[in-house]
């Protein structure tokens, strides 16, 4: 077990009341740990939440050497659960490899998350759409402007009480981005690193300017195959079958994606993980075979999509309401996450 020193705040904040947004309110404490070549990862500590201090020359600020994760803690009936934290710990190390950040022991990662969440457990919001969002991240902080692999890093975890990302199961429109691309073979698309999100902002701006919530990415070579959407993996229900792009080097391997595939199979739905082109999707929409679209992600959980905007044209999905499969998956997944349904896949970790 890693030793973690704990300094509690002497100024606990008021807990937020009413509707919670996403990502703007933070709890009383945060976890920090440093890395240098001499000591490796060291000085694990929980301290009062506050600003970090580092040099304006820190590598992360200039070259984006960083990775992050998104997880959630759920409270119900006095119990508190994490959902598949082992998947995040593993993916974090895969991301770190891609941007040359040192590996972090997966058991220590989970211990750090558990210890911080337990300390701030009274921040876990009540309510079916609410949870405590957990953001672990690694940043390179050598104060050096040359392009080099940093020799010093910070690992941090912050927590925020969060409500629904887009509103509970509220359908959104997405714009198919056919000029910019997010990721290419050999790039960083599979890693959860800030640069992928920096590269997404211009497409997000275009999507929002056209009344959509997020952009849908096509592949970086032919702009033909669907990859993923802004903050989520994407699923289609076509003619009763569930289709989702097969994982590749340019697609983030979502924990929610993996869980939804398992649940669909458990519901005896046929799941096809395969390349799917935007032309196939539009044709399915036009022939009436496209029944539902939904995104999956830790932050959004399940986000139904009722409109695709492609080349200046709106293509409506189903009758515009949240589809029955989207709703059933949302209800089942959130019940498992909150300890309200049997955990037959062993996904929950009580803390
Ligand atoms: C998540 O779903 O946890 C994400 O990381 C998406 C986003 C908020 C960046």
């Amino acid at each position: 077990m890693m030793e973690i020193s704990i300094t509690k705040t002497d100024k606990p904040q008021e807990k937020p009341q009413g509707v919670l947004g996403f990502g703007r309110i933070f709890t009383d404490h945060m976890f920090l740990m440093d890395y240098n070549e001499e000591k490796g990862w060291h000085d694990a500590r929980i301290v009062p939440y506050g600003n970090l201090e580092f040099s304006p020359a820190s590598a992360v600020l200039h070259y984006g050497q960083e990775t992050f994760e998104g997880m959630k803690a759920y409270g119900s009936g006095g119990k508190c659960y994490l959902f598949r934290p082992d998947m995040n710990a593993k993916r974090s190390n895969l991301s770190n490899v891609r941007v040359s950040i040192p590996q972090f022991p997966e058991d220590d990662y989970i211990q750090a998350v558990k210890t911080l969440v337990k300390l701030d457990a009274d921040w876990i919001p009540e309510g079916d759409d609410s949870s405590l969002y957990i953001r672990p991240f690694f940043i390179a902080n050598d104060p050096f402007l040359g392009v080099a692999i940093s020799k010093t890093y910070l690992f941090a975890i912050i927590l925020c009480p969060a409500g629904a990302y887009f509103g509970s199961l509220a359908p959104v429109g997405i714009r198919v981005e056919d000029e910019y691309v997010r990721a290419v073979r050999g790039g960083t698309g599979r890693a959860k690193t800030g640069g992928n999100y920096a590269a997404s902002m211009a497409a997000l701006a275009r999507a929002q300017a056209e009344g959509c919530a997020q952009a849908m990415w096509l592949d970086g070579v032919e702009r033909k195959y669907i990859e993923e959407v802004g903050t989520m993996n994407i699923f289609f229900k076509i003619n009763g079958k569930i289709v989702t792009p097969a994982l590749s080097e340019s697609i983030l391997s979502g924990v929610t994606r993996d869980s939804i595939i398992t649940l669909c199979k458990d519901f005896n739905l046929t799941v096809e993980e395969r390349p799917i082109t935007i032309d196939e999707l539009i044709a399915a929409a036009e022939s009436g075979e496209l029944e539902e679209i939904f995104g999956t992600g830790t932050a959004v959980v399940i986000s139904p999509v009722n409109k695709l905007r492609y080349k200046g044209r709106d293509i409506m999905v189903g009758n515009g309401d949240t589809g029955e499969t989207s709703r059933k998956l949302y209800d089942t997944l959130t019940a498992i996450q909150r300890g309200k349904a049997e955990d037959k896949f062993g996904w929950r970790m009580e803390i």
Side-chain angles (χ1 to χ4, degrees):
M1 287 279 271
M2 165 175 70
E3 207 170 295
I4 304 175
S5 82
I6 298 179
T7 309
K8 288 195 187 167
T9 183
D10 51 14
K11 294 189 202 72
Q13 304 165 69
E14 292 279 309
K15 309 286 184 300
Q17 303 293 328
V19 180
L20 293 165
F22 177 88
R24 290 189 198 280
I25 302 162
F26 302 96
T27 66
D28 280 330
H29 299 94
M30 61 185 179
F31 175 91
L32 301 175
M33 191 166 186
D34 302 306
Y35 176 92
N36 63 29
E37 287 188 316
E38 195 196 338
K39 296 189 192 162
W41 289 109
H42 63 279
D43 198 9
R45 58 203 187 274
I46 290 175
V47 295
Y49 182 89
N51 291 344
L52 297 172
E53 191 171 296
F54 43 78
S55 162
S58 284
V60 64
L61 300 177
H62 302 271
Y63 309 121
Q65 196 190 354
E66 77 93 50
T67 63
F68 69 95
E69 275 298 321
M71 312 164 69
K72 279 179 175 171
Y74 307 85
S76 126
K79 297 201 169 164
C80 170
Y81 304 102
L82 298 176
F83 184 72
R84 309 186 76 183
D86 50 312
M87 299 272 283
N88 298 91
K90 240 184 228 111
R91 186 173 66 183
S92 176
N93 272 334
L94 292 175
S95 300
N96 283 8
V97 166
R98 184 60 185 81
V99 297
S100 287
I101 293 176
Q103 294 288 284
F104 191 88
E106 289 166 21
D107 288 349
D108 291 351
Y109 191 99
I110 295 171
Q111 188 199 339
V113 170
K114 271 167 83 171
T115 310
L116 181 64
V117 170
K118 266 188 174 166
L119 185 67
D120 279 348
D122 54 351
W123 282 85
I124 301 177
E126 298 283 333
D128 280 350
D129 291 326
S130 303
S131 56
L132 189 68
Y133 185 77
I134 305 166
R135 171 53 60 87
F137 60 100
F138 292 86
I139 60 170
N141 61 5
D142 268 10
F144 174 54
L145 287 186
V147 175
I149 301 160
S150 188
K151 292 182 168 45
T152 57
Y153 296 87
L154 176 75
F155 173 46
I157 308 172
I158 56 176
L159 308 174
C160 44
Y165 197 83
F166 287 129
S168 181
L169 276 182
V172 296
I174 53 183
R175 178 180 182 274
V176 182
E177 174 58 57
D178 58 356
E179 185 194 5
Y180 297 139
V181 297
R182 171 183 177 275
V184 291
R185 204 162 5 129
T188 57
R190 188 157 51 186
K192 208 153 174 62
T193 183
N196 292 335
Y197 295 82
S200 78
M201 297 301 171
L204 176 62
R206 285 176 171 177
Q208 288 178 338
E210 294 187 18
C212 293
Q214 297 202 352
M216 180 189 277
W217 296 109
L218 302 179
D219 74 278
V221 179
E222 298 176 80
R223 293 174 181 60
K224 185 172 155 190
Y225 295 97
I226 296 165
E227 299 224 303
E228 60 177 77
V229 172
T231 64
M232 53 203 198
N233 294 114
I234 193 79
F235 286 74
F236 311 105
K237 187 174 177 202
I238 303 175
N239 230 348
K241 290 185 187 160
I242 303 296
V243 181
T244 191
L247 290 178
S248 73
E249 277 181 63
S250 50
I251 295 180
L252 188 82
S253 171
V255 177
T256 312
R257 176 188 181 279
D258 183 81
S259 311
I260 288 299
I261 290 173
T262 303
L263 289 180
C264 285
K265 291 181 179 164
D266 196 49
F267 295 162
N268 287 322
L269 288 165
T270 302
V271 181
E272 296 178 356
E273 293 181 70
R274 62 169 172 87
I276 172 165
T277 65
I278 184 65
D279 290 346
E280 178 185 342
L281 187 66
I282 301 293
E286 284 172 347
S287 69
E289 287 173 301
L290 177 62
E291 294 159 30
E292 291 182 43
I293 303 183
F294 55 90
T296 63
T298 298
V300 299
V301 192
I302 301 272
S303 178
V305 175
N306 62 0
K307 183 183 83 175
L308 287 177
R309 188 161 173 83
Y310 183 47
K311 295 191 186 297
R313 202 156 69 85
D314 284 341
I315 296 136
M316 301 313 289
V317 182
N319 65 3
D321 292 337
T322 298
E324 59 167 333
T325 305
S326 308
R327 186 173 296 281
K328 183 171 170 193
L329 287 167
Y330 176 86
D331 289 345
T332 308
L333 181 65
T334 55
I336 295 173
Q337 289 170 329
R338 290 168 192 285
K340 293 184 174 166
E342 185 201 348
D343 179 25
K344 70 178 185 194
F345 305 105
W347 286 338
R348 245 175 359 230
M349 180 184 279
E350 189 175 341
I351 61 171

